[in-house]
Amino acid sequence: MARIIAIDFGTKRTGIAVTDELQLIASGLTTVNTKELVPFLKEYLGKEDVESMVIGEPKRMNNEPSDVEEEIIRFRESIIKNFPTLNIIRHDERFTSKMAFQTMIDSGIGKKKRQNKALVDQISATIILQDYLYNL
């Protein structure tokens, strides 16, 4: 089987998580500068067998799209253009940043490390992917 990759898209940074080949375990991969996201994915997808990409879908509490949705749509179009065989899935990402921060606290990560927004983004991507796998 091929891997599934998850994206927690942000205007500055993007968290990335990936499954193992059996699609059982979601693990944080990295956080990249959003401007470097497509080149990073070209390199990663050139080396790894990935069948699907789960892109977080940020929504407000009233179910309206968040402000970043327009940029995510442009990113999605770029992915379709660059990787036409990749299956793209949108998945609700509400509360993932709060859950990521709480996960860091529960794991005993110190206050200084919890201020690392890149780590929060990577954990958020992992939560998005875990939730997607759970709901398959």
Side-chain angles (χ1 to χ4, degrees):
M1 291 176 85
R3 297 177 187 270
I4 301 172
I5 194 167
I7 305 292
D8 179 32
F9 188 91
T11 56
K12 295 180 183 178
R13 291 171 315 280
T14 297
I16 303 171
V18 68
T19 65
D20 61 323
E21 291 88 357
L22 296 175
Q23 300 178 3
L24 299 173
I25 300 169
S27 302
L29 180 62
T30 191
T31 301
V32 298
N33 182 319
T34 299
K35 292 179 182 177
E36 300 165 6
L37 181 56
V38 173
F40 173 86
L41 290 171
K42 283 181 181 179
E43 182 178 339
Y44 185 81
L45 296 175
K47 293 186 287 189
E48 296 290 339
D49 187 19
V50 177
E51 72 178 37
S52 299
M53 177 181 288
V54 178
I55 303 172
E57 186 172 14
K59 293 181 180 180
R60 294 189 178 99
M61 291 306 297
N62 63 3
N63 261 352
E64 290 183 11
S66 75
D67 296 337
V68 74
E69 183 63 23
E70 289 181 25
E71 290 183 54
I72 294 173
I73 291 169
R74 284 193 293 276
F75 166 70
R76 182 178 175 273
E77 290 169 356
S78 174
I79 294 301
I80 290 169
K81 178 182 172 190
N82 285 289
F83 310 102
T85 61
L86 190 63
N87 182 31
I88 298 176
I89 302 139
R90 297 298 305 274
H91 192 76
D92 190 348
E93 69 168 51
R94 279 181 281 197
F95 306 113
T96 55
S97 293
K98 289 180 183 178
M99 289 171 25
F101 192 75
Q102 188 61 48
T103 298
M104 293 169 77
I105 291 171
D106 294 346
S107 299
I109 294 175
K111 187 175 183 178
K112 187 166 181 116
K113 267 195 166 179
R114 289 194 310 257
Q115 294 172 348
N116 180 352
K117 293 181 181 180
L119 183 55
V120 173
D121 293 337
Q122 184 177 330
I123 293 171
S124 294
T126 306
I127 291 169
I128 292 167
L129 188 51
Q130 286 173 334
D131 190 53
Y132 170 75
L133 291 171
Y134 179 78
N135 289 300
L136 275 180

